[in-house]
Amino acid sequence: MATPSILPMSWEVPEILRQRLGDGPGRQRVMEANGHLLLVVHRPPKLGDRIRSGRYFWRSPEGKWISSDLGQGPSAMLKHLDEYTVAIERLEKAENDAQSSEDYFRVISELAPLLRATRNLHATLQKARELSGNDRLMINYRDRSYELERSAELLYNESKNELDFLIAQRSEQQAASSHRMSVSAHRLNILVALFFPIATLATVFGSSLRHGFETANAPYPFLTMLVVGFLLGLFLNWFINVPIDPKPRKRPGVDARVPRSP
């Protein structure tokens, strides 16, 4: 009993090409037999796809192109390449709109499989170009796939650089904040060290000196004590939180974001 082929039964391709295919598309590749070219490629991958969806192109010895789902003629391969262009442009827009590390991570996660797919697609079309000789259409397909691979690679590198820069920037801000907190804690410890012995001795010996304000013009001495205590608290707060180091200066010519490639 013959094993069913995943290629359309109407395709008049050599039987050896059908036999070289499994139950799924496998990796992207090109096969040749008796002047027939069979291209096995992948549709643009999406985030979370574990299994790649295959697409097949058959080029007859007479130069006739037929695809498994994009129709006939040379435009079928162009439609396939256009799908990759749309996917890259969508991620480029997402990268331009990204603000947080989560946004950049999402873009990179989608770009990684897309970059691998465009790289393998370019290698497949390059091999097909070699097998087909100086076929003008195949040369254009190869060049177009190279442009897609280059665009995906540049976008991936830019996104990764943006993410690394954002992480480094956040780390510097956290380090500066930690430094300010440690200095403030040190100052507070110094104040505690100055007044702790006096407070301890006063508590142990029960010091309670008469100052003459116990019954004089009540409640003004009490209100005066509250105001003075509040002012001293403001001064103490300023002393603890006063800036330690000046704000780091930016290097001339360095923007707040990593410059994008044209």
Side-chain angles (χ1 to χ4, degrees), residues 236-249:
L236 182 61
N237 180 73
W238 170 85
F239 176 74
I240 293 177
N241 296 301
V242 67
I244 307 304
D245 296 326
K247 187 177 181 180
R249 294 177 299 173

Side-chain angles (χ1 to χ4, degrees), residues 96-161:
N96 290 331
D97 297 338
Q99 298 293 332
S100 63
S101 58
E102 183 179 357
D103 296 335
Y104 285 113
F105 181 78
R106 187 182 299 108
V107 172
I108 292 175
S109 298
E110 292 191 49
L111 262 176
L114 188 63
L115 174 59
R116 290 193 299 268
T118 55
R119 188 170 293 160
N120 294 331
L121 176 62
H122 174 232
T124 299
L125 292 177
Q126 171 62 26
K127 182 65 176 178
R129 206 284 309 165
E130 296 172 359
L131 293 174
S132 62
N134 295 324
D135 184 278
R136 195 70 179 176
L137 282 175
M138 196 64 73
I139 293 176
N140 291 333
Y141 295 155
R142 187 274 315 272
D143 293 342
R144 176 78 180 279
S145 66
Y146 169 76
E147 293 175 0
L148 292 173
E149 178 189 357
R150 182 62 176 165
S151 298
E153 184 179 9
L154 288 175
L155 184 58
Y156 179 85
N157 291 335
E158 289 177 3
S159 300
K160 193 173 185 304
N161 289 338

Side-chain angles (χ1 to χ4, degrees), residues 33-192:
N34 303 328
H36 295 262
L37 287 182
L38 179 63
L39 280 72
V40 181
V41 296
H42 293 164
R43 293 183 177 88
K46 298 180 181 179
L47 183 63
D49 289 347
R50 305 286 297 180
I51 300 176
R52 297 291 176 254
S53 177
R55 180 174 284 158
Y56 307 92
F57 293 87
W58 167 44
R59 179 184 179 273
S60 66
E62 295 78 21
K64 181 180 179 181
W65 282 90
I66 302 178
S67 69
S68 57
D69 61 348
L70 294 179
Q72 302 182 9
S75 62
M77 179 59 72
L78 293 178
K79 294 178 182 178
H80 177 72
L81 297 175
D82 287 341
E83 290 184 2
Y84 276 90
T85 301
V86 171
I88 293 175
E89 290 177 350
R90 179 181 61 84
L91 291 177
E92 184 176 4
K93 183 180 183 302
E95 193 268 345
N96 290 331
D97 297 338
Q99 298 293 332
S100 63
S101 58
E102 183 179 357
D103 296 335
Y104 285 113
F105 181 78
R106 187 182 299 108
V107 172
I108 292 175
S109 298
E110 292 191 49
L111 262 176
L114 188 63
L115 174 59
R116 290 193 299 268
T118 55
R119 188 170 293 160
N120 294 331
L121 176 62
H122 174 232
T124 299
L125 292 177
Q126 171 62 26
K127 182 65 176 178
R129 206 284 309 165
E130 296 172 359
L131 293 174
S132 62
N134 295 324
D135 184 278
R136 195 70 179 176
L137 282 175
M138 196 64 73
I139 293 176
N140 291 333
Y141 295 155
R142 187 274 315 272
D143 293 342
R144 176 78 180 279
S145 66
Y146 169 76
E147 293 175 0
L148 292 173
E149 178 189 357
R150 182 62 176 165
S151 298
E153 184 179 9
L154 288 175
L155 184 58
Y156 179 85
N157 291 335
E158 289 177 3
S159 300
K160 193 173 185 304
N161 289 338
E162 293 283 2
L163 178 60
D164 293 341
F165 176 80
L166 187 61
I167 293 175
Q169 190 179 47
R170 294 291 185 271
S171 298
E172 290 180 355
Q173 292 174 353
Q174 292 178 0
S177 177
S178 298
H179 176 68
R180 289 194 299 268
M181 292 179 62
S182 63
V183 172
S184 299
H186 177 67
R187 288 176 172 176
L188 187 59
N189 289 335
I190 292 177
L191 291 175
V192 172

